[in-house]
Amino acid sequence: MKNKKDLSVMLREAGILFAITLIAGLVLGLVYELTKEPIRIQQEKAVQEACGAVFQSAASFEKMEYTPEPILAEELAGNGVKIGSVYRALSSEGDLLGYVVESASSEGYAGRIVLYLGVAVDGTLNDISILEIAETPGLGMEAQDLLVPQFHNKNVDAFIYTKTGATADYEIDAISGATKTTRAITNAVNGGLKVAHVLLGGGDESE
């Protein structure tokens, strides 16, 4: 008799637990459905703002399908770089003005750094915009103010960073005490430049 009573209690408790789990799952599902679209809209807005920041002369941006060739992807990965979304920058008449490339480095001091760069059809790097960074306050977090302006309107194949002061267009003055952050951002920019140059027909993916 006791065993039957214990079994009944166990089944009742199991039923209650199942009901709670089911309700919690339904609530989470409902919350997800309610927030999914607003989150998507905010993400798209952030992307469009980043594209506009690095390609101010463009009227619109068209996302395109692009995957680096294996050799190029391996080269980028060797520098901790991964290419994300790529957009065509278009004039109001629909003419191609250049490309916006999302490039991410996994080798920041505190982890991942994501940036966008806009490259015109003549290969000029208009600007870069950092979307995601979590470096050390007062050091790597100064990248927005100290590094970003140095990439403005430069037409070079690639950048290097220096600790002794930049004397050429291809040189970037490293942030004092934040060499790792500087290297990660420079590598991410170089990776994005490589992809843009390939798309513009001025680079070989197998190089």
Side-chain angles (χ1 to χ4, degrees):
M1 194 70 162
K2 184 179 179 181
N3 289 339
K4 288 184 178 180
K5 184 177 180 181
D6 290 344
L7 179 60
S8 177
V9 171
M10 288 175 60
L11 290 173
R12 184 171 68 253
E13 291 177 348
I16 293 171
L17 181 60
F18 174 77
I20 292 173
T21 303
L22 179 61
I23 293 171
L26 291 172
V27 170
L28 288 174
L30 178 60
V31 169
Y32 171 76
E33 288 300 324
L34 290 174
T35 59
K36 180 173 64 174
E37 187 63 13
I39 290 173
R40 184 190 65 78
I41 291 172
Q42 286 301 315
Q43 289 173 338
E44 288 187 357
K45 182 180 178 182
V47 167
Q48 290 297 314
E49 288 177 350
C51 288
V54 300
F55 222 122
Q56 296 183 21
S57 61
S60 62
F61 302 95
E62 178 182 86
K63 188 174 182 178
M64 58 179 287
E65 294 296 327
Y66 174 77
T67 302
E69 292 294 328
I71 293 176
L72 177 56
E74 184 177 349
E75 176 189 331
L76 296 174
N79 291 318
V81 175
K82 184 175 181 180
I83 300 300
S85 300
V86 177
Y87 301 84
R88 295 183 183 89
L90 305 174
S91 70
S92 56
E93 292 78 27
D95 297 323
L96 180 67
L97 300 179
Y99 294 93
V100 175
V101 182
E102 177 188 5
S103 184
S105 171
S106 60
E107 297 185 350
Y109 183 79
R112 193 166 180 256
I113 299 174
V114 181
L115 57 84
Y116 275 47
L117 58 154
V119 182
V121 289
D122 67 351
T124 299
L125 173 60
N126 298 328
D127 280 297
I128 71 169
S129 178
I130 300 175
L131 265 70
E132 182 181 323
I133 186 170
E135 302 294 88
T136 306
L139 294 173
M141 285 302 288
E142 296 299 308
Q144 189 67 46
D145 295 326
L146 300 181
L147 290 183
V148 170
Q150 297 188 63
F151 292 100
H152 172 68
N153 202 35
K154 299 290 180 66
N155 194 329
V156 300
D157 291 331
F159 293 92
I160 62 172
Y161 66 89
T162 174
K163 299 179 182 180
T164 57
T167 58
D169 277 356
Y170 61 84
E171 292 183 327
I172 298 299
D173 195 14
I175 301 174
S176 179
T179 303
K180 192 166 185 177
T181 302
T182 303
R183 180 171 61 247
I185 290 176
T186 302
N187 285 343
V189 171
N190 285 340
L193 269 180
K194 177 71 173 179
V195 167
H197 290 162
V198 167
L199 291 170
L200 291 168
D204 182 354
E205 293 208 34
S206 63
E207 287 179 351

